[in-house]
Amino acid sequence: MYSQGLNGPAEKNTDDSPEQLAAFQKRIDAEEKIEPRDWMPSGYRKTLIRQISQHAHSEVVGQLPEGNWVTRAPTLKRKLILLAKIQDEAGHGLYLYSAAETLGVSREQMIDDLLSGKAKYSSIFNYPTLTWADMGAIGWLVDGAAIMNQVPLCRCSYGPYSRAMIRVCKEESFHQRQGYEVMLKMANGSPEQRRMAQDALNRFWWPALMMFGPSDKDSIHSAQSMKWKIKRFSNDDLRQKFIDATVPQAHYLGLEIPDPELKFNEETGHWDHGEINWDEFYQVIAGNGPCNRERLAARRRAHEAGAWVREAVLASQQKHKQPREVA
Ligand code: BYC
């Protein structure tokens, strides 16, 4: 949409001069927003295309685990809330694809990269949703983790991304509350409902912690992204903030976090936690999680089934471009 008049795709712009780079860093340090037509280093453009498109894919693929429960929501009210939430996620995907397009990448290219398995999307959406309590756990933990990660992105140095994140965060906040409310109902319901709530927490706790990405020592992009103020906090710092905010919420529900090493540290004022299973994380992001194949197959089917809509829109645009025949 905004792609005309840009400096050209990332890979063509490899001869950034030291003067240009220094002037750019000065703007970043002064907290200026970078806009689509401004000069930017090729690496900055590339990093943003990678992160924003992966973020968009996550929103779109993230509809699938919840979509599984639309027809089985326990009441009409719950069904409506779930549908509205899933629709919000589609909207987030659209704002984010638009933000990425401002960097000169086409939506077709981004979608191709998702469907071919080249582009990543958040690891969390490769886990199955087995019971209704999972809808609560996703809202509470997954959207809760998303807010923790995304509120700082509202201050990202790239204007279109930072502005898209403001609305996304407001909606995620509603999602988090509705998830917590589902958990509250389940945790205070029948023994079976309480058991389901605990089981959902057991299965989603560790994958939610993995959403923040590898530990700082293994995060390949963090240092540069923080220098460019794309990221404002490191992966481990955000993960710790999430744990500190979420543990008291679990206690209020009367549920147990599935980490025997979790302990409040009086000296630091933070909750110390056990080791994350990084082998599992790397397996999931390499395409070998419990639902990776199912998720991509579902996206491919949806893409093929929607081909006629894309063709109809293009045909209609063509028709309206042609001069009208005068009778
Ligand atoms: N899953 O150097 P690092 C949502 C990859 S949507 C998969 O730390 P970076 C929601 C990473 O891409 C949630 N891959 O990277 C939707 C990199 O690989 P590549 C999505 C991951 O970018 C619907 C490699 O590991 N949120 O909340 O500095 C319903 C090394 O990592 C993950 C966003 O996308 C992961 N968890 O930091 C409900 C937010 N973690 O690209 C909820 C925006 C890492 O070199 N993104 N990788 O092949 C970010 O903030 C950052 O990209 C990350 C990773 C913190 C995720």
Side-chain angles (χ1 to χ4, degrees), residues 249-319:
Q249 294 169 357
H251 290 164
Y252 184 76
L253 294 172
L255 299 178
E256 200 181 325
I257 303 269
D259 177 359
E261 290 174 53
L262 192 74
K263 194 167 176 285
F264 189 70
N265 185 327
E266 296 287 349
E267 272 173 37
T268 61
H270 297 294
W271 286 88
D272 291 339
H273 60 90
E275 185 60 25
I276 292 171
N277 183 345
W278 292 116
D279 287 345
E280 176 180 324
F281 170 75
Y282 285 111
Q283 278 297 324
V284 173
I285 69 171
N288 303 318
C291 298
N292 293 61
R293 285 170 191 81
E294 187 184 326
R295 299 292 183 239
L296 272 188
R299 280 312 315 151
R300 287 192 193 113
R301 273 199 308 277
H303 192 69
E304 281 161 24
W308 71 270
V309 179
R310 294 189 295 279
E311 282 160 20
V313 170
L314 285 176
S316 162
Q317 281 173 352
Q318 281 302 326
K319 198 170 155 191

Side-chain angles (χ1 to χ4, degrees), residues 50 54 89 120 123 146 149 210 213 219-221 231 235:
R50 179 185 63 79
Q54 289 181 1
E89 310 300 358
K120 293 191 171 73
S123 50
N149 164 274
M210 293 175 197
S219 167
I220 43 179
H221 302 295
K231 282 167 92 160
N235 297 356

Side-chain angles (χ1 to χ4, degrees), residues 191-209:
E192 177 62 5
Q193 285 173 315
R194 195 175 174 72
R195 195 195 58 73
M196 283 163 67
Q198 181 63 58
D199 174 60
L201 172 56
N202 293 349
R203 284 181 290 105
F204 277 95
W205 176 253
W206 292 104
L209 299 190

Side-chain angles (χ1 to χ4, degrees), residues 47 50-66 85-86 88-90 92 96 118-126 138-139 141-147 149-150 153 161 165 168 172 175 207-216 218-226 230-231 233-235 238-239 278 281-282 284-286:
T47 299
R50 179 185 63 79
Q51 177 167 326
I52 304 173
S53 63
Q54 289 181 1
H55 193 166
H57 300 328
S58 305
E59 300 283 354
V60 172
V61 177
Q63 297 175 99
L64 295 170
E66 291 176 300
K85 178 183 190 296
I86 294 171
D88 284 351
E89 310 300 358
H92 298 173
L96 288 162
K118 185 175 163 207
K120 293 191 171 73
Y121 57 86
S122 184
S123 50
I124 191 74
F125 302 117
N126 294 304
I138 287 185
L141 301 173
V142 175
D143 289 271
I147 295 169
N149 164 274
Q150 292 172 16
L153 291 175
Y161 192 25
M165 292 319 296
V168 169
E172 299 290 22
H175 298 167
L209 299 190
M210 293 175 197
M211 285 177 72
F212 294 93
S215 67
D216 292 351
D218 298 317
S219 167
I220 43 179
H221 302 295
S222 279
Q224 184 59 67
S225 287
M226 286 180 67
I230 294 172
K231 282 167 92 160
F233 295 96
S234 77
N235 297 356
L238 287 175
R239 190 169 10 249
W278 292 116
F281 170 75
Y282 285 111
V284 173
I285 69 171

Side-chain angles (χ1 to χ4, degrees), residues 15-291:
D15 52 350
D16 308 335
S17 72
E19 293 76 25
Q20 283 174 311
L21 292 172
F24 180 79
Q25 191 61 46
K26 213 168 150 195
R27 290 192 64 194
I28 297 280
D29 294 342
E31 297 288 338
E32 278 181 43
K33 286 276 181 254
I34 308 301
E35 297 299 337
R37 287 166 194 275
D38 295 348
W39 185 87
M40 62 185 81
S42 52
Y44 180 82
R45 188 186 297 276
K46 214 169 150 187
T47 299
L48 282 167
I49 290 175
R50 179 185 63 79
Q51 177 167 326
I52 304 173
S53 63
Q54 289 181 1
H55 193 166
H57 300 328
S58 305
E59 300 283 354
V60 172
V61 177
Q63 297 175 99
L64 295 170
E66 291 176 300
N68 189 31
W69 281 89
V70 171
T71 54
R72 287 175 287 156
T75 66
L76 179 60
K77 187 178 134 198
R78 294 288 180 199
K79 191 195 287 261
L80 288 172
I81 295 171
L82 187 60
L83 270 173
K85 178 183 190 296
I86 294 171
Q87 208 167 3
D88 284 351
E89 310 300 358
H92 298 173
L94 294 179
Y95 315 146
L96 288 162
Y97 283 127
S98 296
E101 281 175 310
T102 65
L103 292 153
V105 63
S106 73
R107 193 168 303 203
E108 290 75 15
Q109 182 63 55
M110 290 186 271
I111 305 280
D112 280 354
D113 288 348
L114 169 68
L115 299 183
S116 70
K118 185 175 163 207
K120 293 191 171 73
Y121 57 86
S122 184
S123 50
I124 191 74
F125 302 117
N126 294 304
Y127 292 85
T129 45
L130 305 178
T131 73
W132 173 253
D134 291 9
M135 297 303 95
I138 287 185
W140 172 37
L141 301 173
V142 175
D143 289 271
I147 295 169
M148 206 49 98
N149 164 274
Q150 292 172 16
V151 167
L153 291 175
C154 298
R155 293 191 294 121
C156 163
S157 58
Y158 188 56
Y161 192 25
S162 70
R163 290 188 288 273
M165 292 319 296
I166 294 171
R167 177 159 175 187
V168 169
C169 284
K170 288 195 173 137
E171 292 177 352
E172 299 290 22
S173 163
F174 151 73
H175 298 167
Q176 196 269 353
R177 283 170 201 207
Q178 70 81 35
Y180 194 68
E181 200 260 339
V182 169
M183 291 303 275
L184 203 56
K185 270 270 182 317
M186 302 285 288
N188 291 297
S190 66
E192 177 62 5
Q193 285 173 315
R194 195 175 174 72
R195 195 195 58 73
M196 283 163 67
Q198 181 63 58
D199 174 60
L201 172 56
N202 293 349
R203 284 181 290 105
F204 277 95
W205 176 253
W206 292 104
L209 299 190
M210 293 175 197
M211 285 177 72
F212 294 93
S215 67
D216 292 351
K217 65 178 179 13
D218 298 317
S219 167
I220 43 179
H221 302 295
S222 279
Q224 184 59 67
S225 287
M226 286 180 67
K227 192 163 173 227
W228 278 330
K229 299 191 198 272
I230 294 172
K231 282 167 92 160
R232 295 278 176 165
F233 295 96
S234 77
N235 297 356
D236 286 336
D237 284 351
L238 287 175
R239 190 169 10 249
Q240 187 64 55
K241 276 175 188 273
F242 172 75
I243 294 171
D244 291 343
T246 311
V247 172
Q249 294 169 357
H251 290 164
Y252 184 76
L253 294 172
L255 299 178
E256 200 181 325
I257 303 269
D259 177 359
E261 290 174 53
L262 192 74
K263 194 167 176 285
F264 189 70
N265 185 327
E266 296 287 349
E267 272 173 37
T268 61
H270 297 294
W271 286 88
D272 291 339
H273 60 90
E275 185 60 25
I276 292 171
N277 183 345
W278 292 116
D279 287 345
E280 176 180 324
F281 170 75
Y282 285 111
Q283 278 297 324
V284 173
I285 69 171
N288 303 318
C291 298

